[in-house]
């Protein structure tokens, strides 16, 4: 597809539509990268509309003029989904940032796409409500971006991922039309489920501008346990044992020693003891029937070769241990582990996945560290290669990743649990999808976006 080159007439239209101050053609470094590896793609212009109607006018114009559009949230993505690989127009949703309504009677909230996840959590907590999806980037990531990638988070094992909480979406289609995808109801069997189609579509089918989300009563009690294991495989096996014991943890997180060591050192958390003979930690959160579940959890864990459990019961202690977990990705990236893969396997195969990742690293002379959401089998694999810091268009790394994802597939898993496909994962989709499946997905994209202007170059191999 050959797109139009941006002209002064285009810029004048944008300035007239959203105002001079909301059109940027210089100092675009912030918008040329996201949290993915070390990649940089500059758009020709960045636009900051403050309403769905203005987004609609921009998109309709780009559709007519054949200008590629890259929708962008906070830029916290890890697959290059918000990078303007085709140049053109980048639409930032940062000014669509209103928390429109908290409906306490129906346990719903209506928000603009640019509302920060953490800000929503704060507002809900004041009313003793709770929105469970909480990715590690929650203090900066936008709700719209979370929906676009179907983000998971720490509590997904008990409460589910973003898609379980999206009731209805306002979406600007590639031709500029605005639709609502569903209804503000807990049940809906009316026609095709467009809400779920747009959830996880990574901006390739349209731009999400508003969302109606389901929320829950906030748990009244919570305790966290940081559990050191002398054997990483046993830490993985303990995850299944926890569930076999009939426990319902809100979170079960896995961190290899190299990951937690680096993070504790970076944060200066001297109060967190890390024993030398430890290979991995589980960080577990319980938020109901605390007395009964805590006793049963400790009894279950004591059957394994563990060190001293750290119990975090007051808010300061809980904040400390969970701050470590949320900082792991940032810290290991600083330490040279710049290539991150978001694998997910059936929970019972976690130990095999960790072992296979280390064998793969040994065979190919690189370092690897694993951490992530052990409770639902979603493991983040971070690679520190001595010669390459990116995976995108690096043949040697592509060979390694193909082997990695083939292992994941053989273990019954798939290549992304919560980060999405974006730019850097799309070459590997044929590993997990049949040709018929891929062609069906492409046909849906072509039907909704026949001119291929919406986030081109992402997910689909031919775009």
């Amino acid at each position: 597809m050959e797109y139009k080159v941006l002209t002064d007439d285009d810029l004048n239209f944008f300035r007239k539509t959203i105002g001079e101050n909301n059109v940027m053609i210089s100092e675009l470094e912030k918008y040329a990268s996201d949290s993915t590896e070390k990649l940089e793609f500059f758009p020709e212009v960045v636009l900051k509309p403050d309403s769905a109607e203005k987004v609609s006018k921009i998109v309709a114009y780009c559709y007519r003029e054949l200008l590629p559009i890259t929708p962008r949230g906070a830029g916290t993505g890890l697959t290059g989904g918000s990078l303007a690989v085709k140049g053109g127009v980048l639409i930032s949703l940062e000014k669509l940032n209103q928390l429109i309504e908290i409906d306490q009677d129906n346990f719903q909230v209506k928000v603009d796409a640019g509302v920060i996840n953490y800000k929503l959590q704060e507002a809900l907590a004041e009313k003793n409500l709770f929105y469970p999806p909480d990715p590690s980037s929650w203090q900066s990531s936008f709700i719209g971006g979370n929906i676009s990638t179907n983000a998971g988070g720490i509590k997904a094992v008990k409460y589910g991922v973003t898609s379980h909480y999206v009731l209805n979406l306002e979406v600007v289609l590639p031709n500029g039309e605005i639709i609502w995808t569903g209804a503000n109801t807990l049940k809906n069997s009316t026609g095709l489920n467009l809400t779920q189609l747009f959830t996880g579509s990574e901006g390739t089918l349209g731009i999400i501008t508003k969302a109606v989300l389901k929320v829950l009563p906030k748990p009244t009690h919570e305790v966290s346990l940081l559990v050191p294991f002398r054997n990483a495989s046993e830490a993985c096996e303990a995850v299944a044992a926890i569930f076999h014991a009939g426990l319902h943890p809100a979170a079960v997180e896995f961190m290899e020693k190299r990951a937690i060591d680096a993070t504790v050192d970076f944060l200066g958390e001297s109060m967190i003891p890390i024993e030398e003979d430890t290979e991995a930690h589980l960080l577990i959160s319980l938020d109901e029937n605390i007395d009964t579940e805590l006793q049963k959890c400790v009894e279950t864990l004591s059957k394994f070769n563990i060190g001293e459990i750290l119990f975090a019961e007051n808010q300061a202690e809980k904040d400390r241990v969970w701050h470590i977990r949320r900082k792991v990705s940032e810290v290991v990236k600083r330490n040279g582990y710049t290539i991150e893969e978001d694998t997910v396997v059936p929970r019972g195969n976690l130990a095999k996945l960790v072992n296979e990742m280390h064998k793969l690293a040994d065979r190919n002379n690189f370092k690897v560290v694993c951490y992530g959401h052990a409770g639902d089998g979603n493991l983040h694999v971070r690679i520190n290669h001595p010669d390459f810091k990116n995976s995108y268009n690096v043949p040697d790394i592509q060979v390694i990743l193909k082997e990695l994802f083939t292992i994941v597939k053989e273990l019954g898993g798939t290549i992304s649990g919560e980060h999405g496909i974006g730019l850097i994962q799309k070459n590997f989709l044929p590993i997990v999808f049949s040709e018929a499946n891929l062609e069906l997905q492409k046909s849906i994209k072509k039907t909704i976006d026949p001119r291929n202007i919406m986030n081109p170059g992402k997910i689909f191999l031919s775009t």
Side-chain angles (χ1 to χ4, degrees), residues 168-389:
N168 203 356
L169 295 172
E170 180 185 69
V171 177
V172 178
L173 298 176
N175 64 2
E177 291 185 47
I178 300 175
I179 65 167
W180 281 93
T181 58
N184 302 351
T185 57
L186 294 176
K187 297 171 74 175
N188 186 352
S189 284
T190 311
L192 298 180
N193 195 335
L194 297 182
T195 303
Q196 293 300 307
L197 177 63
F198 282 93
T199 300
S201 64
E202 302 183 46
T204 62
L205 303 180
I207 300 178
I208 296 166
T209 49
K210 290 185 181 69
V212 177
L213 307 170
K214 178 176 71 173
V215 297
L216 302 176
K218 185 175 176 61
T220 54
H221 301 286
E222 183 180 355
V223 62
S224 295
L225 299 78
L226 184 63
V227 189
F229 285 77
R230 296 187 176 93
N231 181 282
S233 292
E234 281 201 8
C236 296
E237 292 165 8
V239 176
I242 288 168
F243 290 94
H244 280 302
L247 295 166
H248 301 281
V252 183
E253 297 292 300
F254 172 88
M255 293 175 283
E256 285 193 296
K257 186 175 190 298
R258 189 177 289 167
I260 195 170
D261 272 350
T263 309
V264 167
D265 182 63
F266 176 78
L267 296 175
E269 284 287 1
S270 59
M271 298 299 291
I272 306 295
I274 307 297
E275 301 172 22
E276 283 300 320
D277 61 348
T278 298
E279 285 191 2
H281 283 75
L282 290 183
L283 179 53
I284 303 165
S285 174
L286 305 170
D287 67 359
E288 65 177 344
N289 302 321
I290 297 297
D291 293 338
T292 303
E293 293 230 331
L294 181 58
Q295 180 181 352
K296 188 182 290 187
C297 186
V298 172
E299 289 174 355
T300 302
L301 294 169
S302 65
K303 298 173 185 177
F304 297 89
N305 188 8
I306 63 173
E308 184 177 353
I309 299 174
L310 187 155
F311 295 91
E313 299 183 73
N314 65 49
Q315 195 57 51
E317 291 169 341
K318 286 183 285 188
D319 288 346
R320 182 181 293 122
V321 294
W322 284 104
H323 185 54
I324 290 170
R325 169 60 190 93
R326 291 185 185 279
K327 280 288 185 179
V328 164
S329 180
E330 174 188 334
V331 173
V332 296
K333 184 177 181 180
R334 285 172 177 263
N335 287 9
Y337 293 82
T338 55
I339 299 170
E340 177 168 4
E341 304 307 328
D342 172 44
T343 64
V344 59
V345 296
R347 195 162 51 210
N349 284 336
L350 267 178
K352 292 179 182 178
L353 178 59
V354 173
N355 290 334
E356 289 298 325
M357 292 306 96
H358 284 281
K359 290 178 184 177
L360 180 64
D362 291 342
R363 288 197 300 271
N364 291 276
N365 192 33
F366 64 82
K367 296 178 182 178
V368 66
V369 63
C370 302
Y371 57 91
H373 316 303
D376 51 27
N378 184 194
L379 195 70
H380 302 313
V381 179
R382 277 274 185 181
I383 291 172
N384 182 343
H385 196 282
D387 301 318
F388 308 106
K389 296 305 174 187

Side-chain angles (χ1 to χ4, degrees), residues 11-205:
L11 293 174
N12 288 335
F13 173 83
F14 297 143
R15 289 174 180 132
K16 181 179 178 182
T17 302
I18 62 174
E20 179 83 31
N21 293 336
N22 294 316
V23 178
M24 297 177 61
I25 57 173
S26 61
E27 300 180 356
L28 303 183
E29 288 78 10
K30 171 185 173 182
Y31 300 93
S33 61
D34 61 7
S35 295
T36 309
E37 299 178 1
K38 295 183 177 180
L39 303 179
E40 195 172 61
F41 295 89
F42 280 82
E44 294 173 81
V45 63
V46 171
L47 306 179
K48 301 179 182 181
D50 59 8
S51 71
E53 290 70 29
K54 290 177 182 178
V55 173
S56 172
K57 290 178 181 178
I58 293 166
V59 171
Y61 181 87
C62 292
Y63 188 79
R64 290 195 304 270
E65 298 296 320
L66 201 58
L67 291 168
I69 295 171
T70 303
R72 184 180 174 96
T76 60
L78 291 160
T79 64
S82 63
L83 300 182
V85 295
K86 303 294 184 180
V89 176
L90 186 147
I91 299 179
S92 170
L93 280 300
E94 62 194 84
K95 292 197 173 184
L96 276 75
N97 56 12
Q98 298 302 303
L99 201 170
I100 299 165
E101 180 187 12
I102 297 176
D103 182 350
Q104 292 179 264
D105 290 337
N106 292 303
F107 288 87
Q108 296 177 9
V109 60
K110 186 176 184 180
V111 298
D112 279 340
V115 168
I116 294 172
N117 185 299
Y118 181 72
K119 294 295 184 182
L120 173 60
Q121 305 281 8
E122 283 189 315
L124 290 171
E126 292 178 1
K127 300 180 182 298
N128 291 317
L129 296 174
F130 167 52
Y131 176 65
D134 59 345
S136 292
S137 60
W138 71 327
Q139 290 188 316
S140 52
S141 64
F142 293 173
I143 290 295
N146 294 168
I147 295 169
S148 292
T149 58
N150 193 20
I154 287 165
K155 295 184 176 68
V157 60
K158 179 174 183 177
Y159 292 103
V161 297
T162 299
S163 61
H164 294 102
Y165 296 88
V166 181
L167 300 177
N168 203 356
L169 295 172
E170 180 185 69
V171 177
V172 178
L173 298 176
N175 64 2
E177 291 185 47
I178 300 175
I179 65 167
W180 281 93
T181 58
N184 302 351
T185 57
L186 294 176
K187 297 171 74 175
N188 186 352
S189 284
T190 311
L192 298 180
N193 195 335
L194 297 182
T195 303
Q196 293 300 307
L197 177 63
F198 282 93
T199 300
S201 64
E202 302 183 46
T204 62
L205 303 180

Side-chain angles (χ1 to χ4, degrees), residues 400-432:
I400 290 170
L401 295 184
K402 184 175 182 180
E403 186 173 354
L404 185 159
F405 291 133
T406 300
I407 291 168
V408 170
K409 170 67 172 176
E410 290 171 350
L411 291 174
T414 192
I415 67 176
S416 179
E418 59 183 7
H419 293 170
I421 300 302
L423 173 66
I424 65 171
Q425 303 284 61
K426 65 180 187 177
N427 290 340
F428 306 107
L429 281 178
I431 294 174
V432 293

